[in-house]
Amino acid sequence: MANLFKQSRSKQKGSTPRTQRGASKKGNASANAQVAGLRFGKGSKSTKGNENQIIEPVTIEDLDWMGQGVVRGNPMVFVEGALVGETCEIEVLTSKKKVVSAKAAKIHTLSEARQAPFCPVFEACGGCQLQHINADAALAQRDNALKVMLERQLGMKPDAWQAPLEGPRPQYRRKARLAIDARNPDNIRLGFREANSNKVVNVETCPILVDPLSSIIGPLRDILSGFDSARHIGHISLVAGDNVSQVVVKHTKALETALIDDVEAFAKAHRVDLLLESKHGQIRRVGHGDDMVIHTVNGCSISPSANDFIQINKVVNEKMINQALGWLNPQPSERIADWFSGLGNFTLPIAKSGAQVQAVEGVAEMVRRAKDNAQQQGIENVEWLHLDLADKNNVEASLQQGFDKVLLDPSREGAMTVCHALVKALPKTIVYVSCNPSTFSRDAKVLIDGGYEMEKAGVAEMFPFTHHMEMMALFTRTQQ
């Protein structure tokens, strides 16, 4: 590995690599850098002149938690599109002192776990990255990679690692955003962005979407075709609730009356709730439909609006809620904080235990809707607050009331400000739900250094076939 870049420059000069997976995924370099910063510390320096070099065959030793092949050494090499045991030539995308990001250029020895992608546009579409590996193998290897990483970084005990929470595959996703290219009204493209590009991949169906959504993509494009004002559509969101599916058409200028009439007819024919949303956020319902309901656990439900965040995998989300309830073990006599609470995905089931709950969310409209929804379900033991939890003063003020237990479910940026405050307040139990293991590791170190033990942790396979990984951890206080 020390002479990795010297091995093949003369032999490969002028050659054109044959890629196995097309262009690299947008954001991989930054994601690798973030993970590398956690693995190796700060101070990595860029190595000039190595980008786009073709390297002679290397053998992939592991997958990392994002599903990329790993070649150990100095530098460490992360290879998009390569699997464990495969020997392949790689093309360098970015290089730093200790980390190289690359993609497989030519694979000589194929892994038994490699499979043909089940989606016909996988090579172009930027939505999925891991259809080339058997899903069970991908989960097992990524699960182990994350376990090993946390053992090394945080001193996690091996028996703390829990079995992964799994759901259905491939049809699991109940929410998606469709990109549209309507510059030519007679040849509209509707689908998803290409990998590392703004170009729209035209799709008829999507095999990872649940049936009510996948089957309407083609007919929806047909309805929009031929109208000049379709070029004013920015994107289209699809959401499948338990009682109705919803289509939200975001537009920047007024749409033709005839187009609106056809869209309304489409909504009735396909029995979906169709909303038009202006660039100012004004929403007009043109298709008849009921307010969306999404059931969670213990008889609870949430009612999202057009742009609200929801967990996109119904089965895995319900397993996560039940696991969180088991780990928190809420009691009627306790005060529990649910921070980054959204519409109350975790809040409402916790409140059903009888505990007093403080739910804090940074989006004011979501707080209002969550409160109204809770009241409609007869849940009154929740204090709903709109606060920015990245603000230290807000966090410290909220903690003054004192809490027995805390649940955190932040965005990818994590909850470092909150964790620094929690090690001063010292609630006895913290459950942390994370969609970014890198920022989770950073925040977990704050908790562990501040007097907590990571008693349990594990993966939730919220996003099969993608680089993304959801996880949960239970922290318990080890000192007063």
Side-chain angles (χ1 to χ4, degrees), residues 368-386:
R368 182 187 61 79
R369 283 192 293 276
K371 183 177 181 179
D372 291 345
N373 179 56
Q375 289 175 342
Q376 291 172 12
Q377 296 177 59
I379 299 174
E380 302 287 349
N381 53 320
V382 180
E383 177 188 19
W384 299 93
L385 297 177
H386 169 227

Side-chain angles (χ1 to χ4, degrees), residues 129-143:
Q129 302 86 37
L130 301 179
Q131 288 188 21
H132 61 289
I133 178 173
N134 172 273
D136 290 334
L139 177 58
Q141 293 178 37
R142 297 174 70 199
D143 178 78

Side-chain angles (χ1 to χ4, degrees), residues 177-191:
R177 174 179 288 189
L178 301 177
I180 183 171
D181 181 352
R183 289 174 294 180
N184 180 352
D186 296 321
N187 186 26
I188 289 178
R189 302 180 68 84
L190 185 66

Side-chain angles (χ1 to χ4, degrees), residues 15 25 59 71 102 118 218 271 362 373 376 380-381 417 425 431 450 453:
S15 64
K25 297 299 177 185
T59 300
V71 183
F118 52 82
R271 297 181 179 179
N373 179 56
Q376 291 172 12
E380 302 287 349
N381 53 320
T417 299
V431 171
E453 176 186 1

Side-chain angles (χ1 to χ4, degrees), residues 330-336 348-357 381:
Q331 301 297 315
S333 60
E334 293 176 330
R335 283 182 48 79
I336 298 177
L348 301 181
I350 293 172
K352 279 287 191 78
S353 70
Q356 293 297 312
V357 184
N381 53 320

Side-chain angles (χ1 to χ4, degrees), residues 240-476:
D242 291 327
N243 62 327
V244 67
S245 292
Q246 187 180 83
V247 178
V248 183
V249 179
K250 177 82 174 192
H251 58 94
T252 56
K253 293 183 180 180
L255 302 178
E256 298 163 70
T257 300
L259 172 55
I260 294 175
D261 290 343
D262 279 9
V263 163
E264 183 173 3
F266 165 87
K268 292 179 179 178
H270 291 271
R271 297 181 179 179
V272 298
D273 183 24
L274 200 142
L275 308 176
L276 300 179
E277 182 182 3
S278 74
K279 66 178 181 179
H280 302 296
Q282 298 170 325
I283 294 177
R284 172 187 173 190
R285 175 174 276 159
V286 297
H288 177 71
D290 299 322
D291 290 337
M292 181 178 292
V293 175
I294 292 178
H295 298 287
T296 57
V297 303
N298 296 350
C300 299
S301 64
I302 59 175
S303 296
S305 186
N307 299 307
D308 290 341
F309 170 82
I310 63 169
Q311 295 285 11
I312 55 92
N313 191 318
K314 177 180 175 62
V315 173
V316 172
N317 180 56
E318 292 175 359
K319 290 182 177 181
M320 285 172 52
I321 297 172
N322 284 323
Q323 181 165 274
L325 291 173
W327 289 1
L328 278 174
N329 189 26
Q331 301 297 315
S333 60
E334 293 176 330
R335 283 182 48 79
I336 298 177
D338 177 14
W339 286 359
F340 311 96
S341 57
L343 292 172
N345 186 51
F346 292 99
T347 312
L348 301 181
I350 293 172
K352 279 287 191 78
S353 70
Q356 293 297 312
V357 184
Q358 183 196 79
V360 179
E361 168 56 41
V363 180
E365 279 300 303
M366 290 181 71
V367 174
R368 182 187 61 79
R369 283 192 293 276
K371 183 177 181 179
D372 291 345
N373 179 56
Q375 289 175 342
Q376 291 172 12
Q377 296 177 59
I379 299 174
E380 302 287 349
N381 53 320
V382 180
E383 177 188 19
W384 299 93
L385 297 177
H386 169 227
L387 292 174
D388 178 6
L389 289 171
D391 186 308
K392 179 181 177 181
N393 293 329
N394 286 341
V395 174
E396 291 179 349
S398 297
L399 284 172
Q400 287 178 357
Q401 300 179 42
F403 295 101
D404 299 288
K405 300 170 182 177
V406 175
L407 184 141
L408 307 176
D409 185 13
S411 62
R412 292 185 60 81
E413 290 75 16
M416 186 159 61
T417 299
V418 168
C419 289
H420 278 294
L422 290 177
V423 298
K424 297 177 182 178
L426 289 176
K428 60 186 179 183
T429 301
I430 300 170
V431 171
Y432 193 133
V433 182
S434 171
C435 59
N436 185 351
S438 297
T439 53
F440 166 82
S441 181
R442 177 201 67 195
D443 295 348
K445 189 175 188 308
V446 172
L447 296 177
I448 292 168
D449 290 347
Y452 285 88
E453 176 186 1
M454 191 158 66
E455 184 177 326
K456 295 180 180 179
V459 162
E461 194 186 33
M462 183 68 69
F463 317 99
F465 315 113
T466 76
H467 284 319
H468 301 294
M469 182 75 86
E470 192 98 0
M471 63 168 296
M472 298 177 63
L474 169 66
F475 297 89
T476 52

